[in-house]
Amino acid sequence: INPVSAAPYGSSSILLISWVYISLLNTKGLTEATKIAILNANYMAERLSPYYDILFRERGSFNAHEFIIDIRPIKKEYGINEEDVAKRLMDYGFHAPTLSWPVAGTMMVEPTESESLDELQRFVDAMAKIRKEIAELPAILKNAPHTESAICGHWDHSYTREEACF
């Protein structure tokens, strides 16, 4: 059997997910979903801009369905990189955003149209707290994530278990 996708060993069945999503939403639904995804990204970028530099965004301008947080100035000042922030996000219950793409030393956040305002705000709050931790307690990021066994086991960090659990 010849390949059914561009990659000889790729899984063409993955295409079914996209096809069903587009088919179920139809033109009107897809347009609405796109608008919501763009709105979500711009909401979050605006809320996070007091704490982080947002790349490719001039004052008063907008992002598309994603935005890029620049961690490079933080690394230069505090020694904390994008991977440290991503690992700390795990402590807050979030999967890490895309790291170092398309720009090295950054985090690309892509909130989808299906995320609730409460969930978007929860992420913004976590990132704001992490920014404060970077300045006040950078070791907490360097040791993240704080697993259950780490929290319940021997503790030899310069901060408390309570601080690690936010």
Side-chain angles (χ1 to χ4, degrees):
I1 298 174
N2 290 329
V4 292
S5 67
Y9 304 106
S11 175
S12 60
S13 63
I14 196 73
L15 300 174
L16 183 61
I17 295 169
S18 301
W19 180 81
V20 169
Y21 179 79
I22 291 168
S23 297
L24 288 173
L25 287 179
N26 68 51
T27 304
K28 186 177 179 183
L30 197 57
T31 300
E32 186 65 21
T34 302
K35 288 177 182 178
I36 293 169
I38 292 169
L39 182 63
N40 287 350
N42 281 280
Y43 168 78
M44 292 178 74
E46 186 64 28
R47 294 298 309 266
L48 288 170
S49 63
Y51 306 101
Y52 300 93
D53 293 336
I54 308 297
L55 293 184
F56 310 120
R57 186 176 204 229
E58 295 181 27
R59 185 172 286 210
S61 65
F62 299 100
N63 297 97
H65 67 285
E66 63 197 20
F67 62 98
I68 299 172
I69 299 172
D70 193 357
I71 306 296
R72 295 172 298 180
I74 292 169
K75 182 177 182 178
K76 187 175 183 179
E77 186 173 351
Y78 298 100
I80 298 294
N81 63 32
E82 67 282 6
E83 188 175 305
D84 298 325
V85 175
K87 290 188 304 179
R88 184 63 174 147
L89 272 170
M90 288 184 218
D91 287 340
Y92 285 90
F94 291 101
H95 186 278
T98 302
L99 300 181
S100 293
W101 193 90
V103 179
T106 65
M107 300 174 75
M108 183 171 64
V109 179
E110 300 179 81
T112 67
E113 67 281 356
S114 62
E115 298 295 340
S116 69
L117 182 57
D118 288 342
E119 190 65 6
L120 298 178
Q121 190 57 50
R122 195 172 76 83
F123 183 86
V124 168
D125 292 343
M127 287 295 290
K129 288 177 186 176
I130 289 170
R131 184 63 183 93
K132 186 177 178 185
E133 292 170 349
I134 290 169
E136 296 176 358
L137 199 56
I140 207 164
L141 279 88
K142 287 294 185 184
N143 294 315
H146 297 87
T147 63
E148 181 181 359
S149 61
I151 294 293
C152 296
H154 175 72
W155 192 261
D156 62 354
H157 299 300
S158 60
Y159 49 90
T160 68
R161 286 180 170 90
E162 291 76 16
E163 290 171 314
C165 294
F166 51 91

